[in-house]
Amino acid sequence: MTRITIVDLARMSGVSIKTVSRVLNKQTGVRPEKRAEIEKLIADTGFKPNPAARALSGSRSYLIGLIFERPVTHYYQHELQIGALDACRQAGYHLVIEGLADLRHLPRDQMKAQLATSRFDGVVLAPPVCDDAFMLDLFDELEVPVVRISPVQHFERSPYVFIDDEAAGYDLTRWLIELGHRRIAFIENLRGRGSNEARKAGYRQALADAGLESHPEWIVRGDVRVNNGFDEAETLLSRPDRPTAIFAAADYIAFGAMAAAAKLKLSVPEDLSIVGFDDAPGTLSVWPPLSTVHQPMKGLAEEATRMLLERINGRDVPAAHQLDYFIAKRQSAAAPK
């Protein structure tokens, strides 16, 4: 079959190529009835934009960059990619995943030149790159619009999307307190960085508001590079004053804590309640199912990408957009004995 082109669409709908281009790029300046007619024609013909041809026709590349420090096969990054990809597809853009770790050895000018060759129309910065002032400066110099996901500093530098990690940490800890727990430990997420600190602050504030002491020895750090908090949880649970509940700052840390409890023959939740954060796919596969904070990871990336596309099209966007979370209350947490 002959490939349908934008010229064909313009001829078939009786409008200019520029009008079809406006419809494809979700731009204003087209009457609603004509827009609907062209959109139906696009759907009926199965037209797919040619990104190379579109880039040649103007200054845009129709490429959006999703920037990680190091892309890995991790559910958090996977969900961000799916969300950004969905938003790009809806707008006729293509998503490119970029990692910075392999570029860090380059001198500043070379790193800048390398990023310039990508010809991104805009970039979405994921944690922890979102808080990297060096990278924000580079993209400013390249005049590449930026929207960030869950930053914890430099809030004035660009628009961003987020959930209130501190409030979520507070609410989750408060729920454990309401269940009757008084000895609640916190296992930090080494990878979480800024969000980890916010969740820990919420945990501490909930304890303080309930008149409970925050024991420094009950706050330990889990390391995904070793064994997901297993050793730290085993140490906590071997104490004579062991906690009756563990708040893990990420679900994979909670999984390590559940394994440590099993090794010590402690039953969850009869002997120990365990809660996590993120609502990863595995939370429903473990037994008992893990209580956790549901973070809309896909939604964060999708909204960040939409905001970025609005910026690219010259439209105003809010300085910050907050998404909701909720506590998924499952069988891993219950009242203590």
Side-chain angles (χ1 to χ4, degrees):
M1 293 178 60
T2 303
R3 180 184 178 92
I4 297 293
T5 68
I6 192 172
V7 177
D8 297 324
L9 289 177
R11 175 179 51 78
M12 295 164 69
S13 56
V15 299
S16 67
I17 295 174
K18 180 63 175 175
T19 299
V20 177
S21 177
R22 284 174 175 162
V23 174
L24 288 168
N25 296 319
K26 314 292 184 185
Q27 295 174 338
T28 58
V30 182
R31 297 194 317 274
E33 61 273 17
K34 180 56 70 173
R35 181 182 297 275
E37 178 186 332
I38 295 171
E39 287 176 343
K40 183 177 186 302
L41 185 60
I42 291 169
D44 291 345
T45 59
F47 172 78
K48 299 294 182 185
N50 182 326
R54 293 167 75 193
L56 288 173
S57 66
S59 60
R60 295 189 184 183
S61 66
Y62 295 90
L63 299 176
I64 296 298
L66 178 57
I67 312 297
F68 297 104
E69 181 63 27
R70 186 185 302 277
V72 295
T73 54
H74 186 269
Y75 65 85
Y76 178 76
Q77 290 194 9
H78 176 265
E79 290 295 298
L80 294 187
Q81 291 173 32
I82 294 299
L85 182 60
D86 285 351
C88 283
R89 281 177 173 166
Q90 293 170 21
Y93 274 71
H94 289 259
L95 182 69
V96 178
I97 309 301
E98 181 69 82
L100 297 181
D102 292 337
L103 303 179
R104 292 291 189 182
H105 69 283
L106 296 175
R108 188 180 192 279
D109 288 345
Q110 289 187 31
M111 189 175 187
K112 179 180 175 182
Q114 181 75 23
L115 291 170
T117 62
S118 300
R119 299 193 66 241
F120 293 130
D121 286 342
V123 293
V124 175
L125 302 185
V129 181
C130 60
D131 292 309
D132 189 332
F134 174 81
M135 293 309 306
L136 292 173
D137 289 341
L138 280 189
F139 285 117
D140 280 349
E141 293 171 19
L142 292 169
E143 297 183 346
V144 174
V146 170
V147 174
R148 296 180 290 156
I149 297 173
S150 303
V152 295
Q153 57 183 336
H154 312 306
F155 298 115
E156 75 290 347
R157 295 293 301 269
S158 78
Y160 60 93
V161 298
F162 72 107
I163 70 163
D164 192 333
D165 282 281
E166 183 170 347
Y170 182 98
D171 289 346
L172 188 58
T173 307
R174 185 70 190 176
W175 178 51
L176 291 173
I177 294 169
E178 289 171 353
L179 287 174
H181 292 281
R182 297 296 179 265
R183 301 199 304 275
I184 305 171
F186 185 89
I187 305 183
E188 300 189 49
N189 175 15
L190 180 63
R191 181 181 284 167
R193 303 187 184 184
S195 61
N196 176 84
E197 293 304 310
R199 295 166 193 179
K200 183 167 60 174
Y203 155 82
R204 282 176 161 160
Q205 189 61 52
L207 293 179
D209 287 352
L212 300 176
E213 185 179 356
S214 175
H215 295 273
E217 64 272 19
W218 286 356
I219 299 176
V220 296
R221 172 159 293 187
D223 191 342
V224 68
R225 298 171 302 183
V226 182
N227 53 20
N228 291 359
F230 178 95
D231 289 345
E232 291 77 13
E234 184 178 20
T235 299
L236 282 170
L237 297 175
S238 299
R239 296 175 56 91
D241 60 342
R242 67 173 178 82
T244 63
I246 289 178
F247 176 170
D251 289 336
Y252 63 84
I253 298 292
F255 298 153
M258 295 177 87
K263 177 183 177 181
L264 296 174
K265 295 182 170 51
L266 294 174
S267 178
V268 177
E270 289 79 6
D271 300 317
L272 172 72
S273 288
I274 297 176
V275 298
F277 204 110
D278 285 334
D279 203 9
T283 56
L284 293 173
S285 301
V286 295
W287 185 260
L290 182 67
S291 299
T292 184
V293 171
H294 175 85
Q295 177 179 200
M297 294 172 282
K298 178 176 177 290
L300 286 167
E302 192 167 3
E303 185 58 35
T305 306
R306 286 175 180 161
M307 289 172 63
L308 179 62
L309 292 167
E310 291 290 297
R311 291 196 73 193
I312 291 170
N313 288 318
R315 303 188 186 103
D316 292 333
V317 298
H321 185 90
Q322 182 174 348
L323 274 66
D324 293 331
Y325 63 86
F326 64 86
I327 299 176
K329 298 178 180 179
R330 301 180 181 132
Q331 292 95 317
S332 70
K337 287 183 179 179

